[in-house]
Each structure stands twice: as C-alpha cells, then as structure tokens.
C-alpha cells in the first residue's frame, strides 16, 4: 500500500464536557478525493478542521492524539500554523470572498506569504483562476469587486484563492451546499480535476455527490469514524450495519 | 353587524387622525426650532464674519478683533486630540473585539467606557488641569487641552470601532486565517479596511465634540489667541508647531464663551456662525464619507 498523505491517530476532541470526536484513526491517500459523510453533528466538519488546525480558534476546545502530514505531527509544539495552512488549504461552506477585487482576493494568500512582485503575482492569479475553472469568466473584470460574482462563481473564486498559495491538501467543508445545481456540477467537475495535483478531503451531506466525486470515503456517526475505505466498496458493500443503514437512507 | 358583502366600509378614525397630526406637529416643531435658532445666529452674526475676521488675531495695538488665532487653535487641537485618541481607541476596540475572551474584564472595560462618555465635560477639564497641567507640568497649553479632550472622545472612538468590527462577518476572519494569516495580519488587511466607515464615523463625531467643547478646555488649553507665523522650511515649521503645542490657545468655542462673558455679543454671534459652519461641514463630510465607503465594497 502506498504511503498515506495524512495519517490520523487516536484523535480525540472535546468542547468542555462534550466529546465531539472519539478516538478517530484513519489514513488519507495523496492525490485522491476522500469524502467524509454522516448525519449532521456527527463530527465530520470538526474532523476536517483538525487537519489544518482551524479548531485552534474555537473557544474551549481540547484536542488529543496526532495528525501526521507527510510524517510530521501537525499538533507538535514546533509547528508553524501559517506554514501548515499554506500546505493545507480550506474552502468553506458559504463562499466567503473578501470585500476587495477579484485579483486582490486571489493575491491575498501569496502576498501574505511574502510574494510582492507584480509579474509573479499576475502569473499566480491567472494560474489559480484557471485551476479553479473561473478564468474565462473573470479575466476581463479582475479589478472589479469579488462580491459582484454569483454564488457559484464566488465559491470557485474561493477555491482559486486557496489554490493560489499552492497547497498540497485542500479541505472542503460542504462546498456546494449553498449553490444551485448547475454551479454544483461545475464545482464537482473541478474537484475531480483537482486530485491530479492535490489531495482533496471533502465533507458532504449529499451521498450522490460523495459517490460522484470520491475515491475513498469515511462514514462518521456520533463522533466516531465507523468505516472507511474505497468509495465504491463503502457505498455498495459496507461492512458495518450502521454504514449500510445510512447509505441506504434508513436514518440520518 | 357590518354588511360584509361589500368592502366599502372605510371609516373615519378620529383618534388616529389626532395622533397623526400630533406627531406631524412634533416633527415640524423640532425642525422649525432648530432652523429658527440657526437662522437667528446667522442673522445676528453673519455681518461680523468677514475675511479679516477669520484671518487676523485680536490685537489692541493693531486694532483688529479677528478670530484667526482661535481658528488655528481649534484645528490644531482637533488634530492633536485625534492623533492621541484614534490609535488608542482603535487599538482598544480591536483588543476588546478580537483578542479578549468575552467575560467579566471585557464587560468591565465596556461599562467603564460607557460611563466615561456620560461624565460632564467640566470634570474632564478639572482633571486635565490638575493632572496634565500641574502634575505633568504642561500648564495652560494646547497639548494639555488635547490630552484632556482625547480622554473625553476616547469612548466615542472605541464604541464606533467596536460596532464596526462586530459587523464584519466571521467568514472573512476564517477565510484569512484559513490561508495562514496571523491574527494581526488578518486584522490589518481585512478587518480594519472593512471597519473603516465605522472608524471614520467615530473620528468625525469626535471632531464635532472637539470643535464644540469649551468647559474642558477653558482651564487646560486656556484662552491664548496669538496667530502663529508660518515657519521657514520644514524643520522650522515643525519646531514652531512643537512650541505652539506648549503654548496656551483658546479654541473658537472657548473664545465664544469669553466674548459672551464680556458682553461682546456681536463677536460672539460671529463666532457662532463660524462654529455652526464648521459643524455643518463635518456632518456633510460624515455623510459623504459613509456613503462612499459604504458603496465601495
């Protein structure tokens, strides 16, 4: 078996007295799409945010266990979270472009990481917009406010913004739940393309979507990772009864 | 029983009509009173206002009775006050909203700033005179006045900045942090620009209070009205400005008070006109600025 890009060992997370993740261990392959499925409140989004330490900003969170990225524990004291989040980018549920121009949105990350050269930035912006399949729609209005784009375009812009820092892993938290079907299809197509270069981990409520885009899948329930494996196996021949019930639509 | 086969039953409701006319009356009264007062001040004072009134300082020797010195003092004190109050106020608001854990301390600080904004300005004057004037040895000076005023306008700036920061969506914060931005970088590049309209509102409201204040300044900045001479060259100008900051200087509002005290009502009304003009400009600026910034994003 090839070496995992991300390897999670005995991850525990609690808010005060509530345990949101219970002893989760799983392997995530590189250059593949891994879908996290499960009912609301099962901990899949919380788990996703553990992979780039976005939970650090939540009040009263305690985390134990380890998450290895290419063999390095991201919860080690020596980790620079800026560098971590450069390698592990994130796309949120609601498109959240900054209130600035399309160009400045994309250039925000590179500038943050110290790239100032005009030409270099131009190149990165174009590459990122192309990578997120939104270049054609925006190339003539790069100086216009990003808030003028449609919801679907905004979400692809946010994906481009994440790509502009040249991450290795892309975390997506229900990236299409706020989008219409046409935009959703475009984003799904994009996700399938992204895995050529990136490791994608996507949280989704939509089982059909998971089946359409994923290589691997993991099923979460009440803070536990019940079952994980290749997507086609998990959806057609799940081992655990709870997974079978959920996939068959019997609860959740 | 009302016949319900038709809708045409509109009735007159006397109580409603009465209430309506009462609120109309109240509304027009407030406008008329205000317009009347402003009009009266202009009627009495406009004749006094002239170019030489605005540009010369009062002098027995040269037989001039202008307010040029006070005008300069007013602007200078406004700039000094804002220079002192804005960084502290914005910094405090950023700390309270972005760094401090919500709890007793934050509530205490918020309660304190709120109380501070309700304290009569004479008390600021008293404190400023004793603390800045005597303890810190600034005497009657523009600097002492500006420090006193910055305490007074601090709550305005803190409050408005906080309000503005609260309206910035959390998704902006998460977006920036998710790209690897440090908190400070995120605040500098996303939050403060987004909150700028609110910060400006606080700043301009503060400017309005500074221009109109007399009680807090009478015993801190004093009543000097000397018109400064322009410096020769940049370094000389800076030196003169620095010296000027340590001199006593009365703002327009203070001068107005003194003129009234001496029974020179014509000059007082003239100053009144100028002050109303300045406040009007400030309010227009506020509206223009807020509209432009609001539409930009």
């Amino acid at each position: 078996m090839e070496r995992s890009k991300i390897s999670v060992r005995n991850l525990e997370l609690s808010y005060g007295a509530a345990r949101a993740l219970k002893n989760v261990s799983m392997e995530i392959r590189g250059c593949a799409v891994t879908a996290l499925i499960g009912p609301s409140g099962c901990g899949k989004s919380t788990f996703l945010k553990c992979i780039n330490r976005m939970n650090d900003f939540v009040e009263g969170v305690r985390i134990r266990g380890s998450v290895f990225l290419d063999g390095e524990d991201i919860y080690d004291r020596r980790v620079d979270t800026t560098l971590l989040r450069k390698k592990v980018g994130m796309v949120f549920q609601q498109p959240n472009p900054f209130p600035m121009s399309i160009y400045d949105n994309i250039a925000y990350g590179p500038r943050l990481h110290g790239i100032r050269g005009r030409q270099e930035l131009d190149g990165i912006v174009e590459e990122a917009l192309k990578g997120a399949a939104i270049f054609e729609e925006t190339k003539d209005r790069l100086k216009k406010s990003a808030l003028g784009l449609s919801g679907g375009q905004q979400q692809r812009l946010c994906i481009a913004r994440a790509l502009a820092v040249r991450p290795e892993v892309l975390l997506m938290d229900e990236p299409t739940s706020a989008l219409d079907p046409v935009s959703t299809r475009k984003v799904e197509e994009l996700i399938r393309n992204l895995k050529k270069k990136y490791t994608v981990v996507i949280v989704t409520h939509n089982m059909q979507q998971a089946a359409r885009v994923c290589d691997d899948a993991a099923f979460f329930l009440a803070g536990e990772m019940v079952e994980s494996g290749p997507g086609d196996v998990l959806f057609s021949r799940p081992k655990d009864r709870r997974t079978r019930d959920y996939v068959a639509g019997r609860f959740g | 029983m009302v016949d319900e086969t038709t809708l045409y039953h509109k009735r007159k409701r006397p109580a409603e009509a009465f209430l309506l006319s009462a609120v109309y009356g109240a509304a027009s009264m407030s406008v008329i009173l205000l317009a009347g007062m402003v009009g009266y001040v202009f009627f009495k004072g406009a004749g006094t206002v002239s170019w030489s009134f605005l540009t010369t300082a009062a002098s027995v020797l040269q037989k001039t009775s202008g307010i040029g010195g006070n005008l300069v003092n007013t602007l200078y004190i406004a700039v000094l006050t804002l220079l002192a109050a804005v960084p502290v106020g914005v910094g405090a608001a950023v700390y309270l909203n972005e760094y401090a854990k919500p709890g007793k301390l934050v509530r205490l600080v918020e309660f304190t700033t709120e109380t501070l904004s309700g304290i009569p300005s004479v008390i600021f004057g008293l404190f400023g005179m004793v603390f800045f004037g005597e303890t810190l040895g600034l005497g009657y000076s523009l600097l002492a006045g500006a420090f006193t005023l910055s305490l007074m306008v601090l709550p305005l700036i803190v409050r408005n900045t906080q309000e503005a920061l609260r309206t910035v969506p959390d998704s902006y914060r998460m977006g920036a942090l998710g790209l690897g931005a440090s908190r400070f970088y995120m605040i500098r590049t996303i939050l403060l620009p987004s909150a700028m309209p609110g910060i400006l509102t606080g700043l301009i409201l503060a400017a309005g209070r500074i221009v109109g204040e007399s009680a807090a300044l009478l015993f801190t900045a004093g009543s000097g009205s000397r018109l400064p001479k322009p410096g020769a060259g940049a370094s000389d100008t800076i030196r003169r400005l620095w010296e000027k900051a340590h001199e006593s200087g009365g703002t327009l509002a203070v001068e107005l008070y003194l003129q009234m005290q001496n029974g020179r009502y014509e000059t007082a009304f003239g100053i009144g006109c100028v002050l109303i003009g300045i406040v009007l400009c400030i309010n227009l600026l506020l509206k223009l600025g807020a509209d432009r910034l609001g539409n930009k994003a």
Side-chain angles (χ1 to χ4, degrees):
Chain A
M1 188 184 151
E2 61 200 299
R3 193 171 147 218
S4 309
K5 180 76 182 169
I6 299 163
S7 167
V8 181
R9 308 269 169 79
N10 309 104
L11 191 67
E12 291 266 345
L13 183 146
S14 52
Y15 304 104
R19 287 173 77 201
L21 290 175
K22 298 168 191 163
N23 200 21
V24 175
S25 296
M26 75 177 284
E27 305 294 317
I28 295 170
R29 279 193 293 155
C31 291
V33 178
T34 302
L36 309 178
I37 57 170
S40 299
C42 67
K44 56 193 191 305
S45 284
T46 306
F47 175 78
L48 190 77
K49 290 187 188 114
C50 284
I51 306 178
N52 70 345
R53 289 185 56 173
M54 285 300 279
N55 284 323
D56 288 13
F57 301 110
V58 183
E59 213 63 52
V61 157
R62 278 204 324 272
I63 298 169
R64 274 184 299 149
S66 326
V67 176
F68 292 96
L69 175 70
D70 292 324
E72 288 185 326
D73 185 0
I74 66 168
Y75 284 97
D76 192 284
R77 287 167 167 281
R78 290 163 295 177
V79 164
D80 175 16
T81 49
T82 295
L83 208 59
L84 168 68
R85 295 192 189 111
K86 182 178 180 325
K87 282 192 174 185
V88 185
M90 184 146 202
V91 175
F92 299 83
Q93 185 170 359
Q94 291 288 335
N96 58 347
F98 301 135
M100 34 175 109
S101 72
I102 294 172
Y103 184 97
D104 288 337
N105 260 279
I106 308 295
Y108 187 85
R111 281 182 179 139
L112 157 72
H113 295 291
I115 297 171
R116 299 271 164 218
R118 180 80 210 179
Q119 279 190 328
E120 198 181 355
L121 280 176
D122 286 351
I124 292 172
V125 168
E126 184 172 335
E127 181 193 306
L129 287 170
K130 280 181 175 158
I134 191 177
F135 182 66
E136 287 306 316
E137 292 150 80
T138 55
K139 64 180 176 191
D140 299 321
R141 48 196 284 206
L142 291 177
K143 295 288 163 207
K144 295 258 172 63
S145 169
L147 301 183
L149 297 172
S150 75
Q153 289 173 324
Q154 287 190 359
Q155 192 60 302
R156 276 179 289 141
L157 178 85
C158 291
I159 295 174
R161 188 174 68 190
L163 295 182
V165 298
R166 300 187 168 133
E168 295 169 13
V169 180
L170 207 54
L171 308 176
M172 300 179 138
D173 190 0
E174 297 183 38
T176 62
S177 67
L179 306 184
D180 64 81
V182 178
S183 306
T184 299
R185 213 185 55 230
K186 282 188 186 160
V187 171
E188 283 181 10
E189 212 170 290
L190 174 59
I191 292 169
R192 281 196 298 270
N193 276 324
L194 287 173
K195 73 176 178 195
K196 288 172 198 152
K197 286 166 74 180
Y198 309 94
T199 302
V200 179
V201 186
I202 176 173
V203 162
T204 176
H205 266 308
N206 181 329
M207 213 99 57
Q208 285 78 33
Q209 176 171 72
R212 281 194 297 267
V213 301
C214 81
D215 301 295
D216 299 330
F219 172 61
F220 282 73
L221 187 65
E224 284 178 68
M225 207 276 293
V226 175
E227 183 171 353
S228 69
D232 44 2
V233 177
L234 195 113
F235 288 113
S236 55
R237 290 168 268 118
K239 295 189 197 77
D240 196 288
R241 191 182 49 78
R242 291 169 293 175
T243 316
R244 207 176 312 140
D245 287 350
Y246 184 73
V247 171
R250 273 197 280 272
F251 75 92
Chain B
M1 251 328 255
V2 179
D3 170 19
E4 291 195 345
T5 55
T6 168
L7 287 169
Y8 301 152
H9 282 298
K10 189 172 179 181
R11 281 161 296 173
K12 289 215 164 65
R13 294 181 171 84
E16 194 131 321
F18 172 75
L19 266 175
L20 190 65
S21 55
V23 289
Y24 263 120
S28 36
M29 181 117 108
S30 66
V31 174
I32 289 167
L33 279 176
L34 196 66
M37 198 202 79
V38 171
Y40 186 72
V41 172
F42 269 95
F43 173 72
K44 295 284 255 184
T48 320
V49 181
S50 66
W51 184 243
S52 72
F53 182 69
L54 291 174
T55 53
T56 59
S59 158
V60 186
L61 286 176
Q62 290 164 14
K63 297 212 167 61
T64 52
S65 62
I67 55 161
N70 305 110
L71 202 58
V72 172
N73 288 338
T74 306
L75 295 179
Y76 198 22
I77 243 180
V79 170
L80 284 177
T81 304
L82 292 176
L83 275 181
V86 169
V88 178
V90 172
V94 165
Y95 173 76
L96 287 174
N97 225 49
E98 304 300 322
Y99 286 94
K101 293 199 173 81
K104 277 207 177 110
L105 183 71
V106 171
R107 277 205 302 271
L108 182 74
V109 175
E110 281 176 354
F111 178 74
T112 314
T113 39
E114 222 156 289
T115 313
L116 212 59
S117 66
I119 291 177
S121 56
V122 205
I123 297 175
F124 282 98
L126 177 66
F127 172 79
M129 179 180 80
V130 173
F131 182 69
F132 295 120
E134 289 176 12
T135 309
L136 296 188
L138 291 171
Y140 282 128
S141 68
L142 289 176
L143 218 47
F147 284 149
T148 308
L149 286 187
S150 44
L151 292 183
M152 212 176 83
V153 299
L154 204 56
L156 270 179
I157 292 168
V158 174
R159 168 52 63 88
N160 277 285
T161 307
Q162 259 192 306
E163 291 295 324
L165 287 174
R166 275 194 199 122
T167 61
V168 179
D170 250 352
S171 65
Y172 290 178
R173 295 181 176 83
M174 286 303 137
L177 296 170
L179 285 166
S182 64
R183 263 219 160 98
F184 179 70
Y185 188 87
M186 181 269 293
I187 288 168
R188 192 162 62 78
T189 55
I190 304 284
L191 285 193
L192 289 181
S194 308
M196 201 45 90
I199 296 173
L200 275 184
T201 306
L203 197 143
I204 292 173
L205 286 174
R209 278 204 73 176
I210 294 165
V211 167
E213 187 53 46
S214 58
L217 286 175
L218 200 55
F219 295 106
T220 52
S223 58
S225 59
R226 211 170 55 82
L227 195 59
K229 289 186 183 65
S235 65
D236 190 43
T237 309
I238 290 169
R239 189 183 56 80
R240 276 170 190 273
L241 278 174
W242 180 244
E243 276 171 12
K244 172 88 181 153
H246 288 83
E247 283 171 13
S248 142
T251 63
L252 288 171
V254 170
E255 185 63 20
L256 173 60
Y257 171 81
L258 294 172
Q259 296 288 353
M260 267 168 77
Q261 207 177 28
N262 295 329
R264 286 195 286 271
Y265 296 113
E266 260 168 52
T267 321
F269 272 115
I271 297 173
C273 281
V274 176
L275 269 178
I276 289 175
I278 293 177
V279 170
L280 260 173
C281 284
I282 288 175
N283 279 322
L284 280 176
L285 215 75
L286 180 69
K287 232 185 126 34
L288 272 175
D291 287 353
R292 284 213 21 213
L293 278 164
N295 290 336
K296 214 180 86 182

